[in-house]
Amino acid sequence: MPPIPGAGLAKGLAVTLRTMTRKTVTAQYPDVQPELPPRSRGVIALFEENCTVCMLCARECPDWCIYIDSHKETVPAAAPGGRERSRNVLDRFAIDFSLCMYCGICIEVCPFDALFWSPEFEYAETDILELTHERDKLRDWMWTVPEPPALDPAAEEPKEIAAARKTAEKLRTQREQEAAAAGPSAPADPTTTDQEGRA
């Protein structure tokens, strides 16, 4: 069937008429802050107490925009006769947001939950060199990180909890069987160790 002449023009005019009848809504920013979606990607916040300077975030970053400096410190032995240990101490943690593409790989690979998404987005600068934010600024953004959403009550139980519960039930059954085999005269000793040597 050949197209009707002027059909495209009629559709365009219909869209225009529909838009003209709607009320205009103006976002009063910056006086009124916008309501952001729950998982907005604003900036990356640092919880430096959890950072072990493992460098995974800097190595996995496709833009190489994370700069980390550290030094080693010797920790004295906790008990007499013990050996000293060394640990990494964070000196610098900076992110260059002029290079960052907000992929979130650094947050995903961090094994110690030291990096989080913050919904903050007002960090524009007049000089591009000032978009490299040091750990003090990243730490300030940590207080704007929202709480994680509540778990869905119908969700599947986490594998770690299911495995721990299965092991606990297996040990309880094993102890009950041992107590039944020992007879009613010998009460079960709660400090009896199982086959793996745990009390």
Side-chain angles (χ1 to χ4, degrees):
M1 181 176 178
I4 301 171
L9 179 63
K11 285 182 182 178
L13 288 173
V15 171
T16 304
L17 289 172
R18 269 202 315 271
T19 308
M20 286 174 60
T21 57
R22 290 181 189 159
K23 184 179 178 183
T24 304
V25 178
T26 303
Q28 301 296 330
Y29 177 82
D31 298 328
V32 178
Q33 292 294 319
E35 291 187 16
L36 300 174
R39 297 178 68 185
S40 296
R41 294 186 177 192
V43 290
I44 298 166
L46 171 68
F47 189 55
E48 61 184 282
E49 284 83 356
N50 285 0
C51 182
T52 61
V53 199
C54 66
M55 306 289 285
L56 269 175
C57 54
R59 285 199 303 260
E60 295 295 327
C61 177
D63 293 328
W64 291 86
C65 66
I66 300 175
Y67 311 113
I68 301 175
D69 291 329
S70 66
H71 69 276
K72 286 192 178 292
E73 279 187 1
T74 303
V75 180
R83 67 181 180 90
E84 294 180 339
R85 300 183 179 274
S86 65
R87 68 183 180 96
N88 291 323
V89 178
L90 185 67
D91 292 328
R92 182 186 187 214
F93 194 107
I95 299 177
D96 187 352
F97 284 101
S98 66
L99 296 176
C100 180
M101 64 179 183
Y102 305 91
C103 63
I105 291 175
C106 56
I107 296 171
E108 296 296 326
V109 300
C110 180
F112 301 104
D113 289 336
L115 296 173
F116 296 88
W117 279 120
S118 165
E120 288 293 314
F121 62 92
E122 298 175 313
Y123 57 97
E125 301 289 348
T126 55
D127 187 357
I128 194 171
L129 297 176
E130 295 177 5
L131 281 173
T132 301
H133 294 293
E134 300 291 335
R135 67 177 180 175
D136 295 334
K137 184 68 174 175
L138 302 178
R139 175 58 185 245
D140 290 342
W141 282 328
M142 188 65 213
W143 310 120
T144 64
V145 173
E147 292 185 9
L151 296 176
D152 186 355
E156 190 176 300
E157 188 177 43
K159 294 177 183 176
E160 296 84 0
I161 296 176
R165 181 174 286 114
K166 185 176 179 182
T167 304
E169 289 174 359
K170 184 178 177 183
L171 290 174
R172 184 171 56 241
T173 305
Q174 183 180 357
R175 287 185 179 159
E176 289 173 357
Q177 290 174 352
E178 289 174 358
S185 59
D189 185 3
T191 61
T192 304
T193 57
D194 61 8
Q195 294 177 355
E196 296 178 4
R198 292 191 296 267

